[in-house]
Amino acid sequence: MFPLATSQFGALPVMPVQAMTQQATRHARRVYVGGLPPTANEQSVATFFSGVMALIGGNTAGPGDAVVNVYINHEKKFAFVEMRSVEEASNAMALDGIIFEGAPVKVRRPSDYNPSLAAALGPSQPNPNLNLAAVGLIPGSAGGLEGPDRIFVGGLPYYFTEAQIRELLESFGPLRGFDLVKDRETGNSKGYAFCVYQDVSVTDIACTALNGIKMGDKTLTVRRANQGTNQPKPEQESVLQHAQQQIALQKLMLQGGSATKVMCLTHALSVDDLKDDEEYEDIMEDMRQEGGKHGKIHGQSFDIISH
């Protein structure tokens, strides 16, 4: 562990209460940096990442250096870089693929990162206005598609446009990289793509929700490109449920292509609401009256849909 000197890196004085706060936020203030060259050391890593954070405009905790601690595992060639704030750690996630001492390094969340707890501590995604071009990075480029969080999306209908596919994928959050594979001669889609999310904690949520969905005459195959099979954690279930709702609506739009006379209301009532016959009739009448305010109703039904 390499605690950076106060005089050199401007660390703020730590009181007991502040120390407790820092410990509680530490999981959200650290980033994993993999693929380090053999020449890397704590000082060079700290200096480099503090410098690039300043260049891209990623420092949000005031003047001074963003990095406060560095731990390096020389045998496995990775480091944990601790930032001053949660927001600065999230901004550092945009540095994935940056060249350090002649080699591209991977920037990820550490394994102890808890997305549900981190959400209450500060932004979980990089500021979209970061000047990544200042350090040779291109936002959303295919260059950000390497690493264990890359997702393979197969079984795409050939007529789906790039914009339609991105809209489907972005139900889970902004993409850091996206590449729809096309035929070099014709420029037509080959029916598969790769993507990486800015917030890599949603990777397994997206794979679980999208895999097996039917789109036209095709069935999507969505998984980590390295064939991972991780399942979403319990604290991520609400994100998964919300995204599934968005996907269902987008699926209807993508397959339909034109307006219909049918309106679908989701989460209007629960299963228990339909068990009592009298209550069922009351609900039907209420729906009929409310819907009738906007036009004539030709039919009405309730379907229980489970995910």
Side-chain angles (χ1 to χ4, degrees):
M1 184 65 69
F2 180 69
L4 306 183
T6 300
S7 59
Q8 184 175 0
F9 289 92
L12 298 175
V14 178
M15 301 299 289
V17 175
Q18 290 175 310
M20 293 175 62
T21 301
Q22 288 189 351
Q23 183 64 31
T25 62
R26 190 162 178 259
H27 74 97
R29 291 187 295 105
R30 292 197 312 164
V31 297
Y32 164 91
V33 180
L36 292 173
T39 55
N41 57 52
E42 288 86 350
Q43 182 68 60
S44 64
V45 170
T47 301
F48 176 80
F49 277 93
S50 287
V52 295
M53 284 289 287
L55 284 173
I56 66 174
N59 289 359
T60 58
D65 294 286
V67 178
V68 295
N69 273 321
V70 174
Y71 164 80
I72 289 186
N73 184 316
H74 290 281
E75 182 180 355
K76 296 185 178 180
K77 300 179 182 179
F78 74 83
F80 290 120
V81 180
E82 184 176 344
M83 301 294 178
R84 293 178 299 182
S85 70
V86 173
E87 186 173 4
E88 287 177 340
S90 294
N91 286 341
M93 298 305 295
L95 297 173
D96 183 40
I98 194 169
I99 303 299
F100 172 69
E101 295 186 0
V105 294
K106 302 173 184 177
V107 180
R108 303 281 190 270
R109 297 288 190 184
S111 59
D112 65 346
Y113 177 72
N114 188 318
S116 60
L117 293 179
L121 300 174
S124 59
Q125 297 177 4
N127 187 316
N129 298 318
L130 294 175
N131 183 17
L132 297 179
V135 292
L137 295 175
I138 303 174
S141 69
L145 286 172
E146 298 303 321
D149 298 299
R150 184 172 67 148
I151 296 176
F152 168 79
V153 184
L156 293 166
Y158 297 114
Y159 55 84
F160 270 24
T161 66
E162 187 168 330
Q164 288 175 319
I165 299 169
R166 287 188 69 105
E167 183 180 4
L168 182 67
L169 296 171
E170 287 176 345
S171 299
F172 304 89
L175 297 174
R176 185 177 75 232
F178 173 79
D179 181 28
L180 175 61
V181 181
K182 299 178 181 179
D183 185 279
R184 292 183 178 180
E185 295 183 1
T186 66
N188 296 330
S189 167
K190 284 190 172 184
Y192 65 95
F194 295 93
C195 73
V196 175
Y197 286 95
Q198 287 186 15
D199 182 359
V200 296
S201 67
V202 305
T203 300
D204 294 317
I205 301 177
C207 292
T208 300
L210 292 170
N211 189 53
I213 285 182
K214 291 191 176 296
M215 290 287 180
D217 58 347
K218 299 279 189 177
T219 300
L220 296 186
T221 299
V222 184
R223 56 172 171 77
R224 286 178 180 264
N226 62 0
Q227 195 56 56
T229 56
N230 295 336
Q231 295 297 315
K233 299 176 182 178
E235 64 266 18
Q236 299 172 330
E237 288 299 328
S238 61
V239 179
L240 173 59
Q241 185 178 25
H242 174 73
Q244 286 175 324
Q245 297 169 19
Q246 297 300 315
I247 292 168
L249 294 174
Q250 290 173 16
K251 180 180 176 183
L252 288 173
M253 291 187 291
L254 290 171
Q255 291 182 329
S258 61
T260 72
K261 296 181 180 180
V262 179
M263 180 174 67
C264 176
L265 301 178
T266 61
H267 288 72
L269 37 84
S270 67
V271 176
D272 291 335
D273 294 332
L274 303 178
K275 290 181 177 179
D276 186 279
D277 290 340
E278 292 185 6
E279 189 172 355
Y280 177 90
E281 291 299 330
D282 290 340
I283 293 172
M284 288 285 284
E285 184 58 30
D286 289 341
M287 290 284 190
R288 193 176 295 112
Q289 289 180 2
E290 289 299 316
K293 295 177 182 179
H294 306 281
K296 185 178 180 181
I297 297 177
H298 295 282
Q300 185 176 351
S301 67
F302 293 120
D303 292 317
I304 306 303
I305 301 174
S306 59
H307 296 290

